[in-house]
């Protein structure tokens, strides 16, 4: 990571940095949804996205070269297509309270989706645990009922028929 930061240290449009989320950077990490370490974020500082690519130097360097550049945003509206320009203009024209309410509504959708996922994941984990316990009990019951002895008898019979030849 330090090598990548050095490679982009002089760039006027690309920033590669790290943040200590346990110290002074904690509020920044919390506001950007950093939940685990290491987490790599990229993009517009007011709308950082999760990086999903490789973690080796070459993968990170290639991604940075191809993606860390000015993108369509209110600060770079000239980089936007007509539809995005209209969308930005609509949001910029909204009263702050209305925009805050819209942001809160959209963030709630994400929060609700995450909560649903966690809830359903817990149900799956519970079902998995029960299935594992049932399977293990069935295997133990079958073995206790004589499966091993049956296999031994079959092997003995097979060996006995070879001895008769």
């Amino acid at each position: 990571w330090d090598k990548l930061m050095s490679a982009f240290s002089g760039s006027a449009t690309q920033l590669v940095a790290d943040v200590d989320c346990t110290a002074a950077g904690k509020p920044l990490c919390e506001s950007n949804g950093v939940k685990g370490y290491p987490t790599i974020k990229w993009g517009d500082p007011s709308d950082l996205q999760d990086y999903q690519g490789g973690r080796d130097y070459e993968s990170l360097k290639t991604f940075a070269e191809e993606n860390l550049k000015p993108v369509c945003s209110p600060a770079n509206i000239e980089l936007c297509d007509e539809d995005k320009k209209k969308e930005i203009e609509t949001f910029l024209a909204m009263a702050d309270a209305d925009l805050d309410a819209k942001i809160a509504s959209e963030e709630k959708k994400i929060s609700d989706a995450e909560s649903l996922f966690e809830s359903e994941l817990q149900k799956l984990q519970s079902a998995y645990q029960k299935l594992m316990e049932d399977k293990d009990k069935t295997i133990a019951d079958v073995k206790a009922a004589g499966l091993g002895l049956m296999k031994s008898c079959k092997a003995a019979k097979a060996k006995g028929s070879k001895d008769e030849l």
Side-chain angles (χ1 to χ4, degrees):
W1 190 253
D2 291 335
K3 183 177 176 183
L4 191 67
M5 286 192 303
S6 294
F8 288 88
S9 65
S11 175
T13 59
Q14 298 164 310
L15 172 64
V16 176
D18 58 13
V19 176
D20 183 350
C21 292
T22 63
K26 190 173 183 176
L28 178 64
C29 294
E30 288 173 352
S31 69
N32 284 289
V34 175
K35 297 176 183 166
Y37 310 100
T39 297
I40 299 175
K41 298 277 190 170
W42 71 279
D44 186 307
S46 61
D47 184 30
L48 293 174
Q49 303 299 311
D50 291 327
Y51 171 73
Q52 301 294 335
R55 298 289 176 114
D56 61 280
Y57 175 75
E58 285 305 317
S59 296
L60 290 165
K61 183 174 183 283
T62 299
F63 181 85
E65 290 169 345
E66 293 174 358
N67 295 283
L68 298 185
K69 55 189 173 194
V71 294
C72 169
S73 70
N76 296 303
I77 201 160
E78 70 280 357
L79 299 176
C80 303
D81 62 29
E82 288 308 311
D83 289 339
K84 274 297 175 197
K85 284 180 184 178
K86 286 178 186 173
E87 190 175 14
I88 289 170
E89 290 165 0
T90 299
F91 293 145
L92 289 174
M94 292 174 79
D96 286 348
D98 292 340
L99 188 55
D100 288 342
K102 188 155 185 68
I103 290 169
S105 172
E106 296 304 307
E107 286 178 338
K108 184 173 183 332
K109 290 177 187 176
I110 292 171
S111 176
D112 289 349
E114 288 173 346
S115 293
L116 177 63
F117 172 80
E118 289 299 325
S119 169
E120 294 300 313
L121 179 61
Q122 184 58 47
K123 290 177 189 174
L124 284 172
Q125 288 172 332
S126 295
Y128 172 81
Q129 185 64 36
K130 172 90 170 84
L131 288 167
M132 283 293 292
E133 290 167 2
D134 291 350
K135 176 193 73 125
D136 290 346
K137 183 181 181 317
T138 299
I139 291 170
D141 290 349
V142 168
K143 287 181 178 181
L147 176 63
L149 188 55
M150 287 181 226
K151 288 181 176 181
S152 294
C153 290
K154 179 161 174 78
K157 286 174 73 173
K159 185 177 180 190
S161 65
K162 287 182 186 174
D163 288 343
E164 293 175 4
L165 293 175

